[in-house]
Each structure stands twice: as C-alpha cells, then as structure tokens.
Amino acid sequence: MADYLPHTSEEVVDMLDFLGLSTLDDLFAHVPAALRLSQGLDMTPGLSEPDVANIFAEYTSANEATLAKLVCFAGAGAYDHEVPAVVKMLGSRSEFVTAYTPYQPEVAQGILQAIFEYQTMISRLSGLPIANASLYDGATALVEAVNMAAGSTGRSKLVISAGVHPHWRETVRTFAQGTGHELVIAPLVNGITNWSAVDTSGAAAIVATYPNYLGFLEDLSAPKSLATENEALFIVCGDPVAAGILKTAGQWGADIYVGEGQPFGTALSFGGPYLGLFACTEAQIRRLPGRLVGETVDTEGRRAFVTTLRAREQDIRREKATSNVCTNQTLMAVTAAIQLSYLGTHGLRDVATRCAQGARYAYEQIVALDGVSAVSDQPFFREFAVSTAQPADVVLERLVVDGFLGGLSANSLAGATDSSLADPTHTLLITVTEKRTKIEIDTYVAALAKAVK
Amino acid sequence: MADYLPHTSEEVVDMLDFLGLSTLDDLFAHVPAALRLSQGLDMTPGLSEPDVANIFAEYTSANEATLAKLVCFAGAGAYDHEVPAVVKMLGSRSEFVTAYTPYQPEVAQGILQAIFEYQTMISRLSGLPIANASLYDGATALVEAVNMAAGSTGRSKLVISAGVHPHWRETVRTFAQGTGHELVIAPLVNGITNWSAVDTSGAAAIVATYPNYLGFLEDLSAPKSLATENEALFIVCGDPVAAGILKTAGQWGADIYVGEGQPFGTALSFGGPYLGLFACTEAQIRRLPGRLVGETVDTEGRRAFVTTLRAREQDIRREKATSNVCTNQTLMAVTAAIQLSYLGTHGLRDVATRCAQGARYAYEQIVALDGVSAVSDQPFFREFAVSTAQPADVVLERLVVDGFLGGLSANSLAGATDSSLADPTHTLLITVTEKRTKIEIDTYVAALAKAVK
Amino acid sequence: MTLKAQPGGRASSAPLLGNGTEPTIFEMSVAGRSSHQLRTTHVPAMTLEELVPSAHLNPDVVPLAEVSERDLVAHFTRLSHRQFAVDLGAYPLGSCTMKYNPKFCDSVAADPGLNSVHPGAPAALTQGWLRLMVDLEEKLCEVTGMAAATLQPSAGAAGELTGLLLMRAYHEARGDVRRRVIIPDSAHGTNPASVTLGGYEVTTIPSDERGLVDLDALKKVLGPDVAGIMLTNPNTVGLFEEEITEIAAAVHEVGGLLYYDGANLNAILGVVRPGDMGFDIVHMNLHKTFATPHGGGGPGAGPVAVAARLAEYLPGPKATKLADGTFDWVQPANSIGRVHGWHGNAMVLARALAYIDVHGGDGLTRVAQHAVLNANWLRHRLREVLPAAFDRPCMHECVLTASAFKQQHSVKALDLAKRLMEKGFHAPTVYFPLIVDEALMFEPTETESLQTLEAMAQALEEIAVEAAATPELVRNAPTATPVSRVDEARAARQLIPTEDAAQR
Amino acid sequence: MTLKAQPGGRASSAPLLGNGTEPTIFEMSVAGRSSHQLRTTHVPAMTLEELVPSAHLNPDVVPLAEVSERDLVAHFTRLSHRQFAVDLGAYPLGSCTMKYNPKFCDSVAADPGLNSVHPGAPAALTQGWLRLMVDLEEKLCEVTGMAAATLQPSAGAAGELTGLLLMRAYHEARGDVRRRVIIPDSAHGTNPASVTLGGYEVTTIPSDERGLVDLDALKKVLGPDVAGIMLTNPNTVGLFEEEITEIAAAVHEVGGLLYYDGANLNAILGVVRPGDMGFDIVHMNLHKTFATPHGGGGPGAGPVAVAARLAEYLPGPKATKLADGTFDWVQPANSIGRVHGWHGNAMVLARALAYIDVHGGDGLTRVAQHAVLNANWLRHRLREVLPAAFDRPCMHECVLTASAFKQQHSVKALDLAKRLMEKGFHAPTVYFPLIVDEALMFEPTETESLQTLEAMAQALEEIAVEAAATPELVRNAPTATPVSRVDEARAARQLIPTEDAAQR
Ligand SMILES: Cc1ncc(COP(=O)(O)O)c(C=O)c1O
Ligand SMILES: Cc1ncc(COP(=O)(O)O)c(C=O)c1O
C-alpha cells in the first residue's frame, strides 16, 4: 500500500464533517449504486517504490537491444546520436518537466522563451519562416501537413513518394479514413522516386522526402516543379540532422516541412516520446496546427512571450478547427533547443559531416562483401539500404551474437510486399551516426561478412 | 582537445591587446623563466567527454563490489540504506550543488534555511541543543570533539573505548600528533567496553560509542558516571539511525555527540563524501567547530537565516582558532535534511525497527551454524560480530561467488592484532539494513553455512 | 572589439535578483564559440564534396546559437526560474489534473534498460518492453472496464481521433453509413475538432440547468445516422452524469457508440468504470490521471481502450502475449492502422505503469476519493466568495463563477486568476467550459493538502475584498511576477514567431 | 479542525511570485502525514521490546517533519529558488574559483559502478576504484611537480593540517625538534589555524609594498627552529611571488620545508609547478581548481602531494599499483596514519579526474591562461573605478580597494558588493585578505565570457555613480533579493540555531 496523499485520517474526517458527510463513499452517493464497483479494482494491491523497481528490473533485463548490450547500426527515423550530460540535466529541470501548457504567460516565460528559441531554430533548419511549438512525432506531423495542404487547396488527393518512411505513409493512410484523402504513392526506382509513374494532376500536395527511408538523397527539383505545375503544396519530409550540411526544405522550395526531431537530444526511448517538427510558409499561417509562441511586451514594455494566434486553436474553433492537437511535445522541443544550442552552428555541421563520413566508410566496405549488393547508386547521408543474399532478418539475428543491432530489415518497416522494393525481405537498412567509431564499423563489417554468407 | 572556455581566438587577441600584450604567455612574463614549464605537462592531451566516459567505463567494470553485482551485508559505518528517487532529485538541484558557502545571506537563503532545518534535526536526534552545519565525516568529527573537550577542560588525556570504530580511533591518533593529546584505549570484554581497566583520572574526555563497531549496545551509564566523576566531557559516537528507536546521546548524558550521517541519503560512494554529525551542549558553543546557521530577520523584519558566531571561525581567529574547518559537507547535510523529511518521525522509526528486526532474524540463524560462534551475548542494533572457524577473509571470498558482499572482517578494519578482540582475523561483522529481504537473508545464511566450513 | 553579445554569466534575469528579462540564446551567441565535444572515432575524414554531390550541399551554413557550455547552462537554468510548475506550488488548473508527479516514475524512465532501446529492434530483443506494454494494457482495461486497448496515441486529442476512427471502422464494417456525432455544449474543444477530422458532423446538445446532459434533448437528436456520442463523465463542469445508464441505452438503441473522454478519469478510479456505465470507447490522458509530468505542454499519452466488439479495429501492431509465453507484435484483424510513428510515447507509458503499480487497485481508489474530497471541500469552503456554477456535489473539480464580480466591480474571472498567481498559486482554468459565465475551474487534485486548500481559499477571500476596495489592483495583476500582464493582442497583431522575425 | 500547519502547495515564497518567506519544513508538518515507503521484506516483525532491552529504548519518539512527498518537493524546490549558484550567473568570489562545473563530471559520479561500492569491500573487488585513485594521484603529482600524494583529506583545510603533520613527522624522524611555522600576513585564516592544530607556533611576516613576501623580513625570522613556511603562489592578493626561488632557498637553508596552499593553483596549471618552485608539500582544492561543485559549502577534497623524501609519511592506506599490475592498499612506511574515515571524498576525486582527463595537459594550461587573462582584463577595465590594491599584473584574481568610496561617500566595500548582487552578479570576496583596506577580491575564472566581464564592469561603474549620487541606495542594498540585508548582529546576539530554540 503506497500513495502520495497528504491527508491524515483525522483530516479526512474533519473534511467530510465540513461537508456533512460521514464516509468517503458518501462523496459518490449521487453515482448510481448499480454502477459502483463493490469490490474495487481487480488489481494487485499497492507496492512500495522499491518493490516496483524490482518489477521494472525484470522488464529491463528482458530487453536485449539496449545500447549497453548491442552496438547500434539501426536508424530509420530513430537515431543513436550523442546526448551529452549537460543536455539531459537541463532538460530534466523540474520547472520544465512539471509545468503545464503555458496558458498563463506571466508565470511561464521559461517555457515560452525556450519554445520561441526552438521555433527560431526549426525555422532556420527548415529554411521556412514559421515553425510551430511541436507536434507529436514525424509521422503525425506529416498528417497535419497533408491536412493543411488539403485545407489550403480544397483538394483531397495526396501524391506521396514511396520513399517516405513506411510508418509515416501508414499513419497518413489511417487518418485519411476520417478526412477522406486519396493517397497516390509514387514508386521508387533505383532507390529514388519515380514521379512520372503517377498522375499528379489535381493533387493537394506532393510529398517528397530527403533523404528517403532507404537513406538515399533525391533531387527535389522534380517534385517541386510538379507541385508548382499543379498548384499543389510541396511538402518535404526531411531529416533535420541533414540540414547541418544539405540543402534545407526551404531551399528546395517546400511550402511545408515536417521532420522527426528525436535526434536533437531525445533518447531512442523505444520510439517515443519523440518530436514532430513542423514549419511552413507565411501563406499557411492561419492553418498552422499546434501552438505558436510569439514575442510581445508586458505592461511595462518588457519583452515577453506568449502563445498566439489562439483564435486558430481547436479549443476556440471547435468543429471548425483544422487540427485537434492540444498537448504536444513541449519538453522534447525544449530539449531540442538545448541540444541545438549545445551543438551550435559548427557542432551540427560536424555531427552531420561525421554521419556522412561514417556511413560512406561503412558503405564502401559493405557493398564489397560477398553476399551484399547495392540497392542504388544514389548518394546518401547517414544510412543506406543494401541487398543481402540471406534474408535480412537472418543476417540481423546472426549479428546480435557478435554484439550488434546491425540495422533494420526493410520488411520489418514496410512489410514483405512493399511496392517500392524488389525484395524487402532481402533489404537491409544500415545507419551510421557520429557515435560509431572506425573500430566499431570495422568489426561490424567483419561480422556482417560472416552473417550474409 | 576539449575544454569549457568561452573565448574565441579573436576575443583573446582583443583582450591581450587591451592589456598591451601580444601572447597568452606574456601574461606570465613576471614568472621567472627558469621556473616555467617549457614543454607543458606530461599528460595525455584533452579528450572529449564521450572518450573519457569510455575510460570511466573501464573503472566501473573493474569494480566487482557494486550493489548491482553483490547483495550487501557490509556496514561498519557505511550502510546500504534506501535512497528514494525524490531525495536524489532534490539533492542534486543545481542551485544547491553549484553554490558556495553562504557568505552572502541575501542570495543564499536556500542553503541557509536547509542547514537550519538540518541543525534542528540533528539536534533532536542527538538530544542536544546545538548542532553545527556539518563536518567532513564521523572520524574527523570525533577529532573535533576531542579537541573541544581538551580545550574546554584544559587537559589532554582522552579515554576512548576500543569499541569506537578503528578508523575513527586511528584518525584521532593521527591528529593527536599535532595537538599532543594522549590516548588511552579502554578494551572490550564480551564485546563491550571494560572501562574499569583504564585510569580515567585527569581525562579531558570519555569517548563511548553506541552501538560499538562490533554492533553491540553498551550501557552508557558507566562511562557517563566516570566522566562526571572526573569532570571530563562525555562524548558519544552514535549511529544516527539508531536514534529512531534507541536512547539519544543526550538522554545518556552526553556533552558532545558525533556521528556518521551517510545513512541519511548519501550513497556508499566508496567512503566519501560522507557527513560528519556534531552536536553539543550550550556550554560548549563558543568552541563549536565548523559553521552554525542562526535565525534572524532582514531589514524589513522578514525571517532570514545567516551563518553566525563567525567570531569563532578560523578565518577571523586565525592561530587562536580551535578548529580549521572551512569547506564542510553542506550538500550532504542538505541531503540529510531532505532524507529525514522524507522519512519523517515514523519513517525513521520504521527504518530503525526494520534494521533491528533483520539483524536479529539473521543473527539467530547465523550463530546456530556450524563453524560460527557468538562473540558476545549483548544486544545489538543493525549489525553484529561473530567468530568464524575459517578466517573471515576466506569466508568473504567464498560468499562473493554466491553473490554476496558478506560483511567485513574485523582485521580489515582494526588490523590483525587489535587489542579489543581475541582474534580479529576470525571475526566477521555482519550488517542488515531495512533493504534486506527475508529471501536475501535466508540465501545468505545458506551460503554462509557452506562458506564457514 | 565588439561586445554586443549578452553576458551569459549575468543573472539579472533570474527572479532571484529582480525581474529583468533574459536575453535569447541568440543574443548571447558569439561566432566561433562552442560547447560541443565529439568522441574520437578515427573514421577517415572525407570532405563534404567527396561525400555528397554539390547539388545537395547547402551553400550556406544554417546559423544556430554559439555559446559556451557555461552560458548554455546559465541561460536555461535562469529560464527555469521564470517558470511556475507543480514542483513549486499548487496548480489547480481545472481539467488538467496537475497532481504531483512522483520522482520515482521519472527514475524508471531514466533507466537505459528502457530508454536506450531502438523501437525497430526485433521483438525477440525487446521482450521486456513488449511485456511492459501488455501489462499496462491489461491494467488500463481493468481501470476502464474495457476489453482491449491501444497504447499508440500520443495525447488525449490523438486518442479522441483514434476513437472516432474506430467508431467509423466499426460502423463501416457493418455497411452502416452514419453521419453525425453528438457532443454536449460543455465539451472540451478537442472533441468537436476530432469529430470533424474523423469525418463526422457535430451535433451539439445543450446542458440542462443541472449542468448535465439533457436526456430529452439528446433523445431528440438521436437517430440512425448517429455514429455515436462523446462524453466526459464526470463532465467538464465536474459533475457526474447521473443518467448515464439511460443515456447509454438511448444511444445504443439507435446503434450508436459511446465515446468516453478520459480527461476526468481521476475522479472515478476504482469507484465506477466507463465500461460499466456503457461506454464503448475510452481514451485516457496518462499525463493527467496517471501523473506523468506534463512537460510544459507535453509529452502525454492517450491510450484508447475499447469494448470487445471493437478490439479487432484497434491500431497495430500491438504488443501481444503469445501462447508460448513470449511476446510479439500482432496486427488486429481489421486494424485501422498506425496512429503513431512507432509504438506510442513509450517512456510516458512506462512512467504510468510505475504509478499504477505503486498505487495498486486500493491506492487508485484512494486517489479518486481524495481528489473528490478536496474539490468538494474547496467548493464548499468558497461558497460565499465564488459560488459554484451548479450547486450540487462535484467530483474532482468545481466550476465557480465570477459573474458577480464582473457585474459589481468590473473585475473579470481572468483578473481574479491573475491576482491569485501573486498570492502563490497557479491560476485555475478560466473561461472553460464555455457554458459557464466567467468560469473559474478549480481542480485541486488529491495531492494538495488541506492546509494548501485553506491558504488558497483565504487568498481568494482576500482578493474578493480587494476586488471591491481596490479593483485596479486586481485588474492590473500580476506585477510581482517575472513579467507583468502580457500584451496578447499585440502578439497576434504583430506576429513575431522567431528571432529572425524580431530582427526584421 | 486545526489548520496551523503551513501550506506546502503555496509558492508565495518562491521569488517567481514575489519574495515572501518560505515556512520551515517543521511548520509544514502535520502529525501522521508521511512520504516514506519501505520495500516488502517479509522479515518477521518482532517488537522493539523483544529486540532490545528496555534500558536502551527511547521512551519518546524523536520528532521529525511529517510532510507529504509533494510538500517535500515543493519546499526544497522553492528553497532552491532562493539560492544563487554558478549555474545561475557569474560568481566572482575571490579565492574560491567558482568556475563552471561540467555536468559530465556529475554524470560520472552518478554511476552506480562507482557510487554503490562499499568502502570496506576487499581490494580484489574494487580494482576499478583503486586504479582510479592511482591514476588521479599520478596526474595530481604531474600537475604539482611532486612525487606522491594522499587523496584522503576532505577539503583544503584538512589538507593543510595533513601537510603540517607530514612536516612534523619529517622533522621528528630526523630527531629535529622545531617550533615555528612562518606565514605571511596575507594568508587565509585556515593557515594559522592549521599550524596551531599541527602543534606549531605561527610566526607572521608582513607583506611588502608590492604585496609580496618581504624576503628580508623572512630571512630575519628564519632559524633552526623553523619547521617550515606556508605560502600560496600566486598569493592571496593574486600576485605571483617572483622571488619564490630565493624564498625556497632561504627556508631550505635552515632546514625548513615549504608548504604550498593550493587554493590558487588554477592560475598556474601547466605554466609553473609548485615542485619546480621548491615546495615540498602541496595541497590542492579539487573543488576549486578541478571544478568539482562546491555544494553550498562542501563537499570538497584536499589531496596533498609531497616531494619524494616525504612520501613515506603520507597518510595510509594508499591505493597502490603492485608489480603484477593489480592494485592494493599499502601503508607508507612511516605513515602519519589516517586523516579520513575511509579513503577520502571518493566521488569528488572521480569528478576531478574526469575534469582532468577531458582537459588533458593542453586544456589545463589553457584554463590557467584564460583565468589569468580574465582577471587582468577585469582589473585593467576597472582601473578608474576601483583601483587594484597593488598596481601590477595579477594572476587569476585581483584585489581591488574601495577605500576611496569609504572616505568620500561612507560607502563600504560590503555595500558595493551587496549592490552588485542586485545587478545580477554574485558579490566578490570582501575584506579578504586582511592586509588590504576595504578589499574587493574578484576571481572571474576562465569560464566567464568577455561579455560577462564587460557587463560586470559596467554594473560596477553604475554603482560608482550611485555611490556618489545616492549613497543610501547602495548602503541599503540589496532589496530586490529574496530577503533584504540580513541582521547578522542579531543572529549572534540572540542565538537561534534550531527550530526548537526559535520556539522557546
Ligand atoms: C476534457 C478534455 N478533453 C480532451 C483534452 C485533450 O487532451 P490532450 O491535451 O492530452 O490532447 C483535454 C486536455 O486539456 C481535456 O481537458
Ligand atoms: C587561500 C585559501 N587557503 C585555504 C582554504 C581552505 O580550503 P577549504 O575551504 O577547502 O578547506 C581556502 C578556502 O577558501 C583558501 O581560499
């Protein structure tokens, strides 16, 4: 029996007395008796924190795929980047952790200013003027983006590259059940999108990705032209780390940028909470999903920050709202602002460069292995797909024995029959972040050489 | 190459320029050239934090005796008590961690009030009206206590029970080289002090301990009477956890209380930093070592706290000071205040009771084992000594294989020839805290049964 | 020498030393300064030009802040001193359940055994995580009285939309085309927004004078085109819908489903269950009821639990216990698909499970009892100062009205709320629900002590006196806070959403 | 119903919401309330009476605070908001080296692989710790230019006393009875206190007009009864003792030893070493030079390094590398014995080693260079406002004098310092060293930026103007802080050292 309640039994009696009641049950007298649980919940009784810690020790010990146990070459939207102690410490300050949404700006300048700084950083990394205060994750940020495009164009057809992460595509498909959007998937050829294979006319949005989920970089001029031609919005799903060296979404002409912000200070966390990045042009601001913080002044003329354009928020617009997002991922956004300030201009560039260097160093050795062949001759950033003679899942199983989470099989992400790949079950996605050392890569390549045989 | 310096190279040039200098070396021009290092330090160059983390991973993996690897039955002044997450979190708030000694009370009320609360708690646990803001650890707190007694009585003879922790006695002996105190050690018989074996006349202090380092509880009326008779100060070294159920030092008539505060929220930490507890009667206040916080008001009459009786501090009294303690262990004192507030009146009592229950439960099984015999028939609190047929160090080695840090051998603490024990090498000290479960104790006893054979 | 950058080592912006403003991190930036350190890898250092075709390279460098680690720490620590939080004081924000978040649950989530696991790792390597999810699902089903649940939705609103898609899938599987979802006028704004995104039309029904659903009005709008109804119970005015059984029967009768908005679940834990009331779909806000910290606006988690007949439509893949005792990802037969990039906000889920395990069934019941006790005590204690909008026993929160203050002293609910902040408490929720004039919605939660409630009541009594005697003081509040009242209109009129916009 | 206890959920004491006072934890206490949880052990529950003879049982219960975990957190979080710290802003407290403490070093110390190790565990089970200590000793010896070191002393003052006992042991081993230790009048108060406790008499020598040791004065007091001299170099006025070689020769000539008070070691890292200057015994303040956080007044660590001929006297047991490559505890041949209950403040030692490893030899040198650069820049920048006590290049800190302010405006150094706190900076050290009238001792450290120094200089310029124009403002400062100027005299006169004394 454990809880965090302050009331002593005398106080409970006094309080009930004040209310003219005699038992705690009396508080629920107006709840129909037939509905009330007579036996309480069928659940183990309360345990002390140390007892629960013991239960959790069983969970953790049953996880083989921790970073302490396996060296990580897996990615696909969840990356093993460095998170320095200073970022963890600042991001876990309890004023940030235990605050609510900053509805009262006078006592929430801490969160508000941090979000303002975050918005500035995401705006710069996306190359677009407006960034919101965060969305749930990359996948649902894309949902908001297509909804924005549909609302903006009054159309419902979405042309989406098959290079967009399969989970993101699937998520868009799920929510399209409500919005009625029609999805047209442009297939991959040679690892990059073949836009001409689909009919883009009447599209609300052209959705490209940079790099794509196989790791390859596509020239985005083509989809941009298609968007312009068709008066569709151009949505770019972009790896925000790539922005350390590669062109921004804005530079490619995007109207909307979405991305997964996990690499900025958030642990792998078994997939969540992550951070949905969202930025757009000024033209779209009235449809912006989620919150937006703006600079203003207080009554004494001092700079202050506040959530703004609230009129657009779902709690005011109700059924006319274009998004229902309320709670978002503020703490991850604050953490991203801290991590990006830690990295600074040159740090992000260094991280991105090192990713590209490591990936290339690994790639050249790996495609030379017996039993491995290239999937594409296109450039890549920090990950790439290769074909394996053995099923990729078998290869991964073997690599575990040598201490590696050796990547992800394409079929585990996209299913065994994804149209975009000749054979997902024999396609392995390999990621190399700035954390991977030459020795780790070399050992990994040696293990892979055995595993693919 | 890594550091935490803000200066850009342009700024360094500008700053040197402002000083009329051209290189950083010029700053040291007045340091005789012959003394200056021409090649720098003979040390590995700077490494990044992750690289250093790798070095530290080698240290940690070479430690077999962590709590994760071995269940702990060792004590002797360093105890494996529960430290809840909430205490760790509060104690690591960076305002507490990165502040200096509260010399400017207007911006140090946080630390000052926490110390005031700590002083109140230690005063109550010791049963004495004055407690200071902390000392280094139990051992050096005892040094301060005997110095106080010597100063107060103008004498230099110290009568110390052999039951006082051997390290503490040794520490007192070390510092007596400077003060010239004479140490008289009262031996143990049947595990408790035989005061009549020594001449107490002319003593500055009678130093008893409660419980003693073998774990046994002594009746302190006898040493108290001796102190009274001889007009010596009565110093009690006491386990502060015991104060949850046992008589306080004040109740036994102590003039000075010293203790080791590690059990109050501080990890085992390989022995430090710990927390020296110190309390005394009002009569001794002018000789109080370390700092003291007092309540007062600010110019607007609001309650405020401040370090007080500074006149007694070494930085003012210089060679006339009776103690040289400056930096103490404030963070541990703040942590102790947090932990004791977490426990509360009943929590401390529960912890103490459970220690006694666990120790007794273990004891009764252990002394019944073949190859183990009792050292004393005296009562004990959370630890006890037993005689082992095999050398205690051998027993401990065998217990490690079964996953236990099975206690400490008396000879590892007191040397092989400590006068207070028949045979320290065959004496095992066993500790049971509130964390030890019945299953752990039972398994331990079973392992011990094998190990002592 | 240019010294335009702001000092990182000056604390004038910390409230500890007065209330100047804190520079932005960009204002503290000096080109060439840095904090970051990278590990030694010995990977060959190819140039960018060798690595990537130049068409892809950004000719410019994206500018970020360039600060020392020392300044980084000072900046964000000072920002934290400009932020109210549960850990600093009472936060009676109605509908938000700002209870104390046990630090133990944070420590669970800080364990690399959970948080360093890649979400794409094969199930065989993540059995601990899958088991945790299965255990949590089971417990959430017991709490809500439902048969199965998805843990994927990231927040309450995401849960709502997921629930509506489940409703749609259910009806469509029956070839049943339905058009409308009924919502009471007191509902939270996310409900109608979710309905729209779920492809339904909203039919709003008025609350009656008791603050409850008007059963007759409901019956009038029910029909075969009604997909379902969304309710909270206790509802957003903190009252229990006593006719819920009748409501459920009426909705079910026309083939509609009942959706339970779980934002107020804290009130009924272990006392009464949505499933037993007749609900078919339930979302929970783990960040409310199960005390996972709100993070200044997220992350949350909004699992959705459903009755057995809806289980086949749940999002997938779902962590599932197999016959052999191992765990794997299984896709429900007619799943609506994913609603999250991976498996949900896993670390939030872990925290919530830890919270549930510590409490157990008995502890959760006590949570509800004490939450309701506190709200009723406060409501009754304040009856002379701020009357309740509906004068009946409330559940975990009470909606009071300041309309008398507005009429008599031109002091609005917002003014009272702002002034309360200067007296050491966070403001209650104001102007919600929309059906109450000058609403002040207090949710003290079970973790506030009687003494805190009394102090808050006294503060409100003081403010009531001030509102009469010195209304300006209240209207101009707060002034002792890091900034005084903020010009919200200007922020919207003259939008400055980034530092770069500010510079222009 | 009694409601005397203070609310735990009211934040009026947090500066965020004005500056009321925070109740003590005892004032928040309500009998019967609690936070603590104990694990399930199933150990048989004997009664106290069964466990311990009644003569030992306390008939009363020792009262502690009884608060909920929520109130516990609120109280100590609010207290933290009433506390200045390095992480909030510049802390130029001279002689204290309040530099930025890297969070990485804290993370090292948070590792259970280090901090969950019992200090009494056999050496075979703690090889990692022993190796860490050996590695640290080696690096500290390289930094100081000494042969061996003890890691036991808990702080600088403990190191001093240890050093004096080593001095004594050394002389006594030679049958050499010596009586006196020489100390300059500028020395820190712990030096003479340590000398007394070491059983020696203090002979104070005056500083000359340069602020340095007066070599002639020194020579006059030297003699065969001099055990040694204690110096800091740079000394406590921040100046390098340029004649250190001559001083060393003179002291050594009479058979005395040179003790180096390492409080100011930050100034000379990698530039010049105490051993090379002729010192025989050196203590270091790891909490200063090697950036282990000060913790509001500790813990620190004060290792003592010595020349080869003193190594045999060092405290023991010492972690030592054996011929076979393993590590064990070894007692130096003629050890003075233990000066710590166990092996020293181990977690502080680990932090310091991490700090040293990150910097390496090159980084440590940069630390000293930049610390000295900052101090000189500040001294020169302030020359018109606050002249240096001694007009020559300083090392890592500068001692300025406010005597003109006192004479002209009756504004004391303390007043300037208090006012500076309202402008966002911690005060410098005041009235130390004693030889400087109205001393203000600034040690900016290397981690403050040029912008911070400039802002601080501007703040002091503003204060100088205020001192002339509105001296009351400065004399009454601070007022914007959590409390205004504190009545120190009353605290001493009417001593209230505990809540219980306050109650009486
Ligand atoms: C009644 C009600 N429903 C739904 C929500 C939306 O939940 P979330 O913010 O987690 O998306 C809220 C949140 O404030 C709420 O109060
Ligand atoms: C010059 C000098 N010597 C010695 C000391 C004492 O060091 P500690 O406080 O670590 O005991 C100090 C500390 O302020 C100091 O500044």
Side-chain angles (χ1 to χ4, degrees), chain A residues 19 36 45 72 92 111 129 295 323 327 330 389 396 399 404 409 450:
Chain A
L19 294 170
R36 284 164 60 189
C72 183
S92 61
I111 292 278
E295 185 184 315
S323 162
T327 290
T330 302
L396 290 174
L399 285 169
F404 295 102
S409 68
K450 285 186 305 173

Side-chain angles (χ1 to χ4, degrees), chain A residues 104, chain C residues 92-95 236-238 378-379 382 385-390 397-406 411-420 426-444 460 463-464 474:
Chain A
Q104 297 292 347
Chain C
L93 206 59
S95 204
T236 62
V237 289
L378 187 68
R379 178 184 57 78
L382 287 174
V385 190
L386 283 167
F390 303 96
E397 58 195 359
C398 55
V399 180
L400 313 181
T401 173
S403 57
F405 286 91
K406 192 170 158 202
V411 167
K412 292 176 296 179
L414 184 72
D415 301 325
L416 300 176
K418 297 278 185 197
R419 179 71 177 140
L420 186 61
H426 196 276
T429 294
V430 286
Y431 305 122
F432 178 77
L434 306 177
I435 60 164
V436 172
D437 185 46
E438 295 296 320
L440 287 158
M441 183 186 210
F442 284 91
E443 181 181 7
L460 287 160
I463 296 171
V474 181

Side-chain angles (χ1 to χ4, degrees), chain D residues 289-356:
Chain D
T289 313
F290 301 107
T292 68
H294 280 74
V304 173
V306 295
R309 69 189 190 286
L310 284 144
E312 63 186 287
Y313 307 108
L314 284 172
K318 276 186 60 184
T320 308
K321 185 170 187 167
L322 306 182
D324 67 359
T326 64
F327 298 84
D328 205 353
W329 297 111
V330 173
Q331 189 77 353
N334 295 300
S335 174
I336 58 168
R338 286 185 173 280
V339 297
H340 187 279
W342 293 100
H343 320 298
N345 282 353
M347 300 319 308
V348 179
L349 303 175
R351 279 186 172 87
L353 179 59
Y355 181 88
I356 291 171

Side-chain angles (χ1 to χ4, degrees), chain A residues 2-8 10-11 14-15 18 47-51 54 85-86 89 93-95 106-107, chain D residues 1-2 16-17 30-35 37-40 68-71 77 80-81 87 100 103-104 107:
Chain A
D3 60 38
Y4 303 91
L5 303 173
H7 303 71
T8 64
E10 295 78 41
E11 286 175 339
D14 285 347
M15 291 174 81
F18 181 65
L47 295 169
S48 72
E49 292 177 354
D51 292 328
N54 286 337
V86 65
M89 186 285 263
R93 295 266 319 160
S94 76
E95 295 89 339
E106 296 83 4
V107 295
Chain D
M1 168 162 45
T2 160
L16 185 65
L17 294 167
V30 170
R33 210 170 265 176
S34 82
S35 304
Q37 303 182 14
L38 292 176
R39 70 178 64 209
T40 311
S68 67
E69 186 168 315
R70 185 270 176 285
D71 285 358
T77 306
S80 78
H81 274 232
D87 280 9
Y100 170 64
K103 303 305 163 192
F104 169 68
S107 75

